[in-house]
Amino acid sequence: MTISNLQGIAPGNYTIGLKGVRGTDTEIRYVNLKIHSAAFENISLISPANQSNGLNTTVNLSWNSNINSESYRVQVATDAAFANLFLNQTTTATNYTVNNLLQETNYYWRILPINTCGEAITGTANTFTTGILTCNQVFTATDFTFAT
């Protein structure tokens, strides 16, 4: 069986019923047809929110799934052009935890969809800034005037 002329079909999952007839016997089988496209849409980034400040040096990135994606390339860079990549990994999930980020550093992140037709080469980017990690601070209270 050949299925053709699918160029105008939107990416997605489609159920197709196949009917076989032999004499007086008839049988219908249903199969799933997955359509992909090389025309990628931008992935909607969820968290961290764009221009978030003071984040930890471990950040969980999350984004919305896309019907035209089989996997995602996660990119984190220290420049808006993504020439200085800190992270460049693929995943099938819609979240990714980035560890060992530098303190007080501005990062750019984006998600590029991938499917059997190819991979997006650009996408919407968000930015976040890590804060200062302060440990072993000791605070001593000296004024108990309003203590009850």
Side-chain angles (χ1 to χ4, degrees):
M1 178 174 85
T2 300
I3 300 173
S4 58
N5 297 322
L6 299 175
Q7 297 84 351
I9 304 297
N13 292 312
Y14 297 90
T15 301
I16 298 174
L18 304 173
K19 183 177 182 180
V21 178
R22 182 176 183 205
T24 59
D25 293 332
T26 300
E27 188 171 338
I28 298 176
R29 296 283 174 108
Y30 293 93
V31 296
N32 185 49
L33 175 65
K34 178 132 180 135
I35 302 290
H36 288 115
S37 170
F40 295 100
E41 295 178 6
N42 284 328
I43 300 295
S44 177
L45 308 178
I46 299 172
S47 178
N50 195 26
Q51 299 181 349
S52 293
N53 290 303
L55 299 183
N56 198 331
T57 55
T58 296
V59 173
N60 185 46
L61 307 175
S62 64
W63 57 92
N64 286 326
S65 63
N66 182 282
I67 193 71
N68 194 35
S69 303
E70 293 177 300
S71 60
Y72 305 92
R73 179 169 304 284
V74 181
Q75 292 186 327
V76 177
T78 54
D79 64 304
F82 288 84
N84 299 307
L85 289 173
F86 178 84
L87 176 81
N88 187 30
Q89 295 292 323
T90 59
T91 182
T92 56
T94 55
N95 59 60
Y96 194 93
T97 300
V98 184
N99 297 301
N100 302 315
L101 295 166
L102 300 173
Q103 297 180 49
E104 290 189 291
T105 303
N106 192 40
Y107 288 98
Y108 297 83
W109 71 285
R110 67 183 178 186
I111 304 300
L112 304 176
I114 302 169
N115 66 29
T116 55
C117 296
E119 179 175 347
I121 57 172
T122 188
T124 300
N126 278 2
T127 183
F128 65 87
T129 303
T130 53
I132 300 172
L133 182 62
T134 306
C135 300
N136 300 323
Q137 293 288 323
V138 177
F139 299 96
T140 305
T142 57
D143 184 0
F144 294 100
T145 306
F146 297 107
T148 56

